[in-house]
Amino acid sequence: MATKTEKKNTIRQEIIESAGVYSRRLAGKTFLFVYGDEFFEVAFPIDHFLHLTGVETKLSPKDFYRNAKRGLLTTAQFYFSARHSYANAKRKLPCLKRLPELTDRVVCILKNMQTVTIIYKISVTNLEFTLGLTENTDFYGNRVNEYFLPMSLRVEDSSVEKSAGGEVVDFIFERDASKMKYDVMLVNDKDKIPERIKCLISDSFFK
C-alpha cells in the first residue's frame, strides 16, 4: 500500500501534467459552442485551473498554476480537507488531463445542473465527466463579458439527471484570445452553420 508521501507525490505529478495540458490546449484560447439555435463562449483563465484540481492551497490561484506549469509545485504547497479530499482529487485529476476532450469532440450541453452548493446555468459533459461553467462576473456580481468560465469538474454519471435537460452540440469553434473571430472548427455535427453566429466566425467557413 502506498504511503501518504507517495500518494501526495502522485497527486503532485498529476497536477503538473494537467497544468501542461491546460497550458497547451486551453489557456489563451476561447471556444464557441453551438447547439440548436443557441450558443455560448468559454474561456479558460489560468486562475481557474486550481478550481478543477480538487486540492487546497495557500498560494494564489495564479501562483499555483504557474508553479504547476513549470514543474515547481511542491507537496507542501497543497493539501487536502474534508471538502477537498485525497480521494476526490485522485478521481478528478485523470479527467482534468482529458479536459480538452470537452472542446474537440461531440459533447452534451446541460442546463441548470444542480449541486449541493450551486446551480450551473451551463455545463458540458461527455457522460464520463462534467465541466460546470459560471458567468464571468466581478466582485459585485456584475457581468464582465459574455464568456463562461470553468468552475467545477465533476466525475460522476448523474450530471444529466441533476440537470434540466441537455442537447448535443452541433459545432465547436476555437480561436486564440488575441483574434477577433473563430478560425478553427473542432466539431462539425450538423450540415449548416447557423446564420446568427456568422459575425463570430471567419468568413472562410461560408465560402
Side-chain angles (χ1 to χ4, degrees), residues 25-26 30-33 42 44 98-107 124 131 169 171-174 185-187:
R25 302 285 302 279
L26 301 172
T30 60
F31 298 84
L32 173 65
F33 291 76
V42 181
F44 289 85
R98 295 173 55 195
L99 194 59
E101 292 179 24
L102 298 185
T103 65
D104 64 10
R105 304 182 191 187
V106 174
V107 291
V124 180
L131 183 65
V169 74
F171 300 94
I172 302 177
F173 297 90
E174 174 193 313
M185 182 186 290
L186 298 172
V187 172

Side-chain angles (χ1 to χ4, degrees), residues 159-193:
S159 295
V160 175
E161 289 81 359
K162 292 178 179 178
S163 72
E167 294 187 46
V168 176
V169 74
D170 295 323
F171 300 94
I172 302 177
F173 297 90
E174 174 193 313
R175 68 173 170 83
D176 286 335
S178 60
K179 295 183 178 180
M180 295 297 293
K181 291 192 174 186
Y182 291 90
D183 55 358
V184 178
M185 182 186 290
L186 298 172
V187 172
N188 179 4
D189 201 41
K190 200 172 184 179
D191 293 334
K192 188 176 180 181
I193 297 173

Side-chain angles (χ1 to χ4, degrees), residues 121-196:
K121 184 177 178 181
I122 294 288
S123 301
V124 180
T125 185
N126 62 3
L127 304 183
E128 289 185 64
F129 53 91
T130 302
L131 183 65
L133 303 170
T134 59
E135 295 177 330
N136 187 13
T137 58
D138 62 20
F139 179 78
Y140 301 101
N142 300 311
R143 195 95 190 249
V144 174
N145 53 38
E146 295 303 310
Y147 297 148
F148 281 84
L149 307 178
M151 184 57 67
S152 176
L153 182 61
R154 310 186 68 81
V155 185
E156 54 185 40
D157 57 5
S158 60
S159 295
V160 175
E161 289 81 359
K162 292 178 179 178
S163 72
E167 294 187 46
V168 176
V169 74
D170 295 323
F171 300 94
I172 302 177
F173 297 90
E174 174 193 313
R175 68 173 170 83
D176 286 335
S178 60
K179 295 183 178 180
M180 295 297 293
K181 291 192 174 186
Y182 291 90
D183 55 358
V184 178
M185 182 186 290
L186 298 172
V187 172
N188 179 4
D189 201 41
K190 200 172 184 179
D191 293 334
K192 188 176 180 181
I193 297 173
E195 284 289 327
R196 64 180 305 197

